[in-house]
Amino acid sequence: MMRRKTALVMTIMMVAVSILAGCGKTEQAQTPKEINVAYQYSLGYAPFIVMKDLNLVEKAYGDDITVNWVQMNNGSEISEALVSGDLDVGAMGVPVAVTGIQAGSPYKIAFGMSSQPYAIVTSNENINSLSDISDSDQIAIVNINSMQHVILAMAAKAELGDAHALDSRLTVLNNADGYEAMISGVVSCHMVISPYNFLEVNNSEVEMHEIDAISNVWDKNNTAIVGVIAEEMKNDEPEVYDAFIEAYNEATAFIEENPTDTAKYLAEGYDASEEDIEAWITDERSNYDSTLHGVMNMVDFMLEEGFLEEGPESIDELVYEGVEGD
């Protein structure tokens, strides 16, 4: 009789442990996820704004998840935040992403984001080429070794014979502050991405014009901005990674199919009409595409001109499995 009681007690205990363990798993599975995502000031980051406004990550994940969206001044800040673990996802120019990955930063490229119109805009009527920029002229760029810096270096090499000929005239300002600096006359030139090039040329306060120096060195279809995701999120939370990629693809499809609606979301961040925003995001130089274009060509230039000490032998060293392009 004692053996039967002992066996019964053991069975009850095992069932109880099993139930408690099951409850623990259920509770753990229901713990809300939270991710931090950063982007910058430009129309090039439109997919993230669409994802934020339409809650696409939340819909794709299909469970409790909180997505914290933050705008940061430049790609270097975003890269540093990814390294420190403060961010899970970020969008940045190709040069910053490549430099970070080559330096061992714990992230890789998960998708291309966009190609965008870049321009060198000036308020000085006497500047019509790079050779007209004097020692007293300051050129605002978002950061040293940024996308803007590298494209400007491409133009300087082609026109002036030296990729770094204008480096001493660079001043670092985020895109929005650079725009204000142009209006106020603090700087006379701005190497900038859309929509600020359009805003500057169309502004009613100060007459400005573009310097035609980029079109011959920069293919309008090349990927300018990429999305990077922390390796920890990719490896430890693959379901969140997959949901984010799904949401991103839905956002790019939405932009292509609904430019008018997209412009409504984007216009909130700029002093421009929805009609202007729609025209700018449908410009032939503005494309939102997950496939990478021309990344390795930029890597080659960066190596040649000292922006990188060592480069990857192939695109596979920079991207996660499944990312397409060159």
PDB file of all heavy atoms in Angstrom, residues 42 49 51 53 59 68 93 103 108 123 127 142 157 166 178 215 218 256 288 290 299 319 324:
ATOM      1  N   SER A  42      16.229  62.431 -44.204  1.00  0.00           N
ATOM      2  CA  SER A  42      16.246  62.479 -45.670  1.00  0.00           C
ATOM      3  C   SER A  42      15.121  61.617 -46.212  1.00  0.00           C
ATOM      4  O   SER A  42      14.619  60.722 -45.514  1.00  0.00           O
ATOM      5  CB  SER A  42      17.601  62.020 -46.209  1.00  0.00           C
ATOM      6  OG  SER A  42      17.505  61.054 -47.189  1.00  0.00           O
ATOM      7  N   ILE A  49       9.896  55.285 -42.357  1.00  0.00           N
ATOM      8  CA  ILE A  49       8.795  56.149 -41.930  1.00  0.00           C
ATOM      9  C   ILE A  49       7.452  55.487 -42.237  1.00  0.00           C
ATOM     10  O   ILE A  49       6.525  55.530 -41.423  1.00  0.00           O
ATOM     11  CB  ILE A  49       8.907  57.530 -42.608  1.00  0.00           C
ATOM     12  CG1 ILE A  49      10.199  58.218 -42.163  1.00  0.00           C
ATOM     13  CG2 ILE A  49       7.696  58.405 -42.284  1.00  0.00           C
ATOM     14  CD1 ILE A  49      10.523  59.484 -42.908  1.00  0.00           C
ATOM     15  N   MET A  51       6.980  52.233 -42.471  1.00  0.00           N
ATOM     16  CA  MET A  51       6.873  51.120 -41.532  1.00  0.00           C
ATOM     17  C   MET A  51       6.393  51.599 -40.165  1.00  0.00           C
ATOM     18  O   MET A  51       5.559  50.949 -39.528  1.00  0.00           O
ATOM     19  CB  MET A  51       8.230  50.432 -41.390  1.00  0.00           C
ATOM     20  CG  MET A  51       8.665  49.673 -42.631  1.00  0.00           C
ATOM     21  SD  MET A  51      10.427  49.205 -42.593  1.00  0.00           S
ATOM     22  CE  MET A  51      10.404  47.934 -41.332  1.00  0.00           C
ATOM     23  N   ASP A  53       4.665  54.495 -39.457  1.00  0.00           N
ATOM     24  CA  ASP A  53       3.317  55.059 -39.468  1.00  0.00           C
ATOM     25  C   ASP A  53       2.233  54.009 -39.694  1.00  0.00           C
ATOM     26  O   ASP A  53       1.099  54.173 -39.229  1.00  0.00           O
ATOM     27  CB  ASP A  53       3.216  56.150 -40.534  1.00  0.00           C
ATOM     28  CG  ASP A  53       3.981  57.407 -40.148  1.00  0.00           C
ATOM     29  OD1 ASP A  53       4.465  57.475 -38.996  1.00  0.00           O
ATOM     30  OD2 ASP A  53       4.112  58.315 -40.985  1.00  0.00           O
ATOM     31  N   LYS A  59       2.506  44.263 -37.413  1.00  0.00           N
ATOM     32  CA  LYS A  59       1.595  43.399 -38.174  1.00  0.00           C
ATOM     33  C   LYS A  59       2.311  42.144 -38.657  1.00  0.00           C
ATOM     34  O   LYS A  59       1.760  41.038 -38.625  1.00  0.00           O
ATOM     35  CB  LYS A  59       1.022  44.174 -39.363  1.00  0.00           C
ATOM     36  CG  LYS A  59       0.083  45.303 -38.964  1.00  0.00           C
ATOM     37  CD  LYS A  59      -0.377  46.092 -40.185  1.00  0.00           C
ATOM     38  CE  LYS A  59      -1.272  47.260 -39.778  1.00  0.00           C
ATOM     39  NZ  LYS A  59      -1.667  48.094 -40.953  1.00  0.00           N
ATOM     40  N   ASN A  68      10.669  50.990 -31.171  1.00  0.00           N
ATOM     41  CA  ASN A  68      11.036  52.366 -30.838  1.00  0.00           C
ATOM     42  C   ASN A  68      11.831  52.963 -31.993  1.00  0.00           C
ATOM     43  O   ASN A  68      12.921  52.472 -32.318  1.00  0.00           O
ATOM     44  CB  ASN A  68      11.879  52.390 -29.554  1.00  0.00           C
ATOM     45  CG  ASN A  68      11.156  51.781 -28.376  1.00  0.00           C
ATOM     46  OD1 ASN A  68       9.994  52.093 -28.130  1.00  0.00           O
ATOM     47  ND2 ASN A  68      11.816  50.889 -27.648  1.00  0.00           N
ATOM     48  N   GLY A  93      24.441  55.346 -44.744  1.00  0.00           N
ATOM     49  CA  GLY A  93      25.080  55.334 -46.045  1.00  0.00           C
ATOM     50  C   GLY A  93      26.020  54.147 -46.177  1.00  0.00           C
ATOM     51  O   GLY A  93      26.542  53.616 -45.185  1.00  0.00           O
ATOM     52  N   ALA A 103      35.528  46.905 -39.551  1.00  0.00           N
ATOM     53  CA  ALA A 103      36.165  47.120 -38.248  1.00  0.00           C
ATOM     54  C   ALA A 103      35.709  46.103 -37.204  1.00  0.00           C
ATOM     55  O   ALA A 103      36.157  46.149 -36.056  1.00  0.00           O
ATOM     56  CB  ALA A 103      35.878  48.533 -37.758  1.00  0.00           C
ATOM     57  N   LYS A 108      25.531  43.434 -39.885  1.00  0.00           N
ATOM     58  CA  LYS A 108      25.764  43.291 -41.321  1.00  0.00           C
ATOM     59  C   LYS A 108      24.603  43.925 -42.076  1.00  0.00           C
ATOM     60  O   LYS A 108      23.564  44.246 -41.502  1.00  0.00           O
ATOM     61  CB  LYS A 108      25.896  41.812 -41.712  1.00  0.00           C
ATOM     62  CG  LYS A 108      27.227  41.195 -41.335  1.00  0.00           C
ATOM     63  CD  LYS A 108      27.376  39.797 -41.934  1.00  0.00           C
ATOM     64  CE  LYS A 108      28.746  39.219 -41.627  1.00  0.00           C
ATOM     65  NZ  LYS A 108      28.910  37.876 -42.243  1.00  0.00           N
ATOM     66  N   SER A 123      25.211  78.882 -52.667  1.00  0.00           N
ATOM     67  CA  SER A 123      24.541  80.185 -52.678  1.00  0.00           C
ATOM     68  C   SER A 123      25.435  81.259 -53.294  1.00  0.00           C
ATOM     69  O   SER A 123      25.045  82.419 -53.363  1.00  0.00           O
ATOM     70  CB  SER A 123      24.179  80.592 -51.242  1.00  0.00           C
ATOM     71  OG  SER A 123      25.348  80.635 -50.432  1.00  0.00           O
ATOM     72  N   ILE A 127      30.266  80.420 -58.117  1.00  0.00           N
ATOM     73  CA  ILE A 127      30.704  79.024 -58.079  1.00  0.00           C
ATOM     74  C   ILE A 127      29.841  78.206 -59.039  1.00  0.00           C
ATOM     75  O   ILE A 127      28.646  78.020 -58.828  1.00  0.00           O
ATOM     76  CB  ILE A 127      30.592  78.444 -56.648  1.00  0.00           C
ATOM     77  CG1 ILE A 127      31.515  79.195 -55.697  1.00  0.00           C
ATOM     78  CG2 ILE A 127      30.938  76.956 -56.656  1.00  0.00           C
ATOM     79  CD1 ILE A 127      31.426  78.720 -54.255  1.00  0.00           C
ATOM     80  N   VAL A 142      27.283  65.811 -43.980  1.00  0.00           N
ATOM     81  CA  VAL A 142      26.693  65.230 -42.779  1.00  0.00           C
ATOM     82  C   VAL A 142      27.755  64.653 -41.846  1.00  0.00           C
ATOM     83  O   VAL A 142      27.573  64.635 -40.632  1.00  0.00           O
ATOM     84  CB  VAL A 142      25.638  64.169 -43.158  1.00  0.00           C
ATOM     85  CG1 VAL A 142      26.295  62.912 -43.728  1.00  0.00           C
ATOM     86  CG2 VAL A 142      24.748  63.834 -41.978  1.00  0.00           C
ATOM     87  N   LYS A 157      38.079  63.975 -57.545  1.00  0.00           N
ATOM     88  CA  LYS A 157      39.104  63.238 -58.288  1.00  0.00           C
ATOM     89  C   LYS A 157      38.922  63.418 -59.788  1.00  0.00           C
ATOM     90  O   LYS A 157      39.894  63.607 -60.531  1.00  0.00           O
ATOM     91  CB  LYS A 157      39.062  61.759 -57.921  1.00  0.00           C
ATOM     92  CG  LYS A 157      40.169  60.953 -58.609  1.00  0.00           C
ATOM     93  CD  LYS A 157      40.210  59.525 -58.126  1.00  0.00           C
ATOM     94  CE  LYS A 157      41.368  58.781 -58.780  1.00  0.00           C
ATOM     95  NZ  LYS A 157      41.439  57.374 -58.290  1.00  0.00           N
ATOM     96  N   LEU A 166      39.219  68.870 -51.559  1.00  0.00           N
ATOM     97  CA  LEU A 166      38.288  69.771 -50.866  1.00  0.00           C
ATOM     98  C   LEU A 166      38.125  69.444 -49.378  1.00  0.00           C
ATOM     99  O   LEU A 166      37.318  70.082 -48.693  1.00  0.00           O
ATOM    100  CB  LEU A 166      36.914  69.734 -51.555  1.00  0.00           C
ATOM    101  CG  LEU A 166      36.901  70.167 -53.026  1.00  0.00           C
ATOM    102  CD1 LEU A 166      35.538  69.899 -53.640  1.00  0.00           C
ATOM    103  CD2 LEU A 166      37.275  71.632 -53.160  1.00  0.00           C
ATOM    104  N   GLY A 178      22.480  71.786 -41.992  1.00  0.00           N
ATOM    105  CA  GLY A 178      23.183  72.279 -43.175  1.00  0.00           C
ATOM    106  C   GLY A 178      22.281  73.143 -44.029  1.00  0.00           C
ATOM    107  O   GLY A 178      22.711  74.174 -44.571  1.00  0.00           O
ATOM    108  N   SER A 215      26.919  63.963 -61.624  1.00  0.00           N
ATOM    109  CA  SER A 215      26.254  63.053 -62.561  1.00  0.00           C
ATOM    110  C   SER A 215      27.229  62.177 -63.338  1.00  0.00           C
ATOM    111  O   SER A 215      26.894  61.050 -63.722  1.00  0.00           O
ATOM    112  CB  SER A 215      25.386  63.850 -63.536  1.00  0.00           C
ATOM    113  OG  SER A 215      26.170  64.779 -64.259  1.00  0.00           O
ATOM    114  N   TRP A 218      28.635  59.388 -60.464  1.00  0.00           N
ATOM    115  CA  TRP A 218      27.736  58.631 -59.599  1.00  0.00           C
ATOM    116  C   TRP A 218      26.544  58.131 -60.387  1.00  0.00           C
ATOM    117  O   TRP A 218      25.743  58.907 -60.904  1.00  0.00           O
ATOM    118  CB  TRP A 218      27.266  59.505 -58.432  1.00  0.00           C
ATOM    119  CG  TRP A 218      26.313  58.827 -57.500  1.00  0.00           C
ATOM    120  CD1 TRP A 218      24.985  59.123 -57.326  1.00  0.00           C
ATOM    121  CD2 TRP A 218      26.584  57.723 -56.640  1.00  0.00           C
ATOM    122  NE1 TRP A 218      24.432  58.280 -56.399  1.00  0.00           N
ATOM    123  CE2 TRP A 218      25.390  57.407 -55.951  1.00  0.00           C
ATOM    124  CE3 TRP A 218      27.742  56.977 -56.370  1.00  0.00           C
ATOM    125  CZ2 TRP A 218      25.314  56.369 -55.035  1.00  0.00           C
ATOM    126  CZ3 TRP A 218      27.655  55.947 -55.443  1.00  0.00           C
ATOM    127  CH2 TRP A 218      26.455  55.663 -54.792  1.00  0.00           C
ATOM    128  N   GLU A 256       5.995  52.359 -53.838  1.00  0.00           N
ATOM    129  CA  GLU A 256       5.891  52.286 -55.302  1.00  0.00           C
ATOM    130  C   GLU A 256       4.446  52.357 -55.768  1.00  0.00           C
ATOM    131  O   GLU A 256       4.135  53.023 -56.760  1.00  0.00           O
ATOM    132  CB  GLU A 256       6.534  50.990 -55.801  1.00  0.00           C
ATOM    133  CG  GLU A 256       6.512  50.852 -57.314  1.00  0.00           C
ATOM    134  CD  GLU A 256       7.231  49.607 -57.804  1.00  0.00           C
ATOM    135  OE1 GLU A 256       7.787  48.858 -56.965  1.00  0.00           O
ATOM    136  OE2 GLU A 256       7.218  49.368 -59.028  1.00  0.00           O
ATOM    137  N   TYR A 288      13.538  52.872 -54.235  1.00  0.00           N
ATOM    138  CA  TYR A 288      13.541  52.138 -52.972  1.00  0.00           C
ATOM    139  C   TYR A 288      13.578  50.652 -53.309  1.00  0.00           C
ATOM    140  O   TYR A 288      12.614  50.101 -53.822  1.00  0.00           O
ATOM    141  CB  TYR A 288      12.315  52.513 -52.141  1.00  0.00           C
ATOM    142  CG  TYR A 288      12.274  54.001 -51.850  1.00  0.00           C
ATOM    143  CD1 TYR A 288      11.561  54.879 -52.671  1.00  0.00           C
ATOM    144  CD2 TYR A 288      12.998  54.534 -50.789  1.00  0.00           C
ATOM    145  CE1 TYR A 288      11.556  56.247 -52.416  1.00  0.00           C
ATOM    146  CE2 TYR A 288      13.006  55.900 -50.523  1.00  0.00           C
ATOM    147  CZ  TYR A 288      12.283  56.744 -51.345  1.00  0.00           C
ATOM    148  OH  TYR A 288      12.295  58.106 -51.113  1.00  0.00           O
ATOM    149  N   SER A 290      15.490  46.724 -52.252  1.00  0.00           N
ATOM    150  CA  SER A 290      16.264  45.929 -51.302  1.00  0.00           C
ATOM    151  C   SER A 290      17.527  45.333 -51.920  1.00  0.00           C
ATOM    152  O   SER A 290      18.458  44.960 -51.205  1.00  0.00           O
ATOM    153  CB  SER A 290      15.395  44.808 -50.726  1.00  0.00           C
ATOM    154  OG  SER A 290      14.976  43.927 -51.749  1.00  0.00           O
ATOM    155  N   VAL A 299      33.319  50.330 -52.627  1.00  0.00           N
ATOM    156  CA  VAL A 299      34.380  49.764 -51.791  1.00  0.00           C
ATOM    157  C   VAL A 299      35.730  49.915 -52.482  1.00  0.00           C
ATOM    158  O   VAL A 299      36.730  50.299 -51.845  1.00  0.00           O
ATOM    159  CB  VAL A 299      34.088  48.282 -51.477  1.00  0.00           C
ATOM    160  CG1 VAL A 299      35.316  47.611 -50.858  1.00  0.00           C
ATOM    161  CG2 VAL A 299      32.900  48.162 -50.532  1.00  0.00           C
ATOM    162  N   VAL A 319      27.203  41.140 -46.040  1.00  0.00           N
ATOM    163  CA  VAL A 319      25.752  40.971 -46.005  1.00  0.00           C
ATOM    164  C   VAL A 319      25.361  39.650 -45.350  1.00  0.00           C
ATOM    165  O   VAL A 319      26.166  38.716 -45.245  1.00  0.00           O
ATOM    166  CB  VAL A 319      25.152  41.021 -47.427  1.00  0.00           C
ATOM    167  CG1 VAL A 319      25.547  42.300 -48.128  1.00  0.00           C
ATOM    168  CG2 VAL A 319      25.590  39.806 -48.249  1.00  0.00           C
ATOM    169  N   GLU A 324      20.610  40.143 -51.905  1.00  0.00           N
ATOM    170  CA  GLU A 324      21.014  40.078 -53.311  1.00  0.00           C
ATOM    171  C   GLU A 324      21.708  41.358 -53.749  1.00  0.00           C
ATOM    172  O   GLU A 324      21.468  42.439 -53.186  1.00  0.00           O
ATOM    173  CB  GLU A 324      19.791  39.836 -54.204  1.00  0.00           C
ATOM    174  CG  GLU A 324      19.078  38.519 -53.920  1.00  0.00           C
ATOM    175  CD  GLU A 324      17.877  38.321 -54.830  1.00  0.00           C
ATOM    176  OE1 GLU A 324      17.515  39.274 -55.555  1.00  0.00           O
ATOM    177  OE2 GLU A 324      17.304  37.214 -54.819  1.00  0.00           O
TER     178      GLU A 324
END
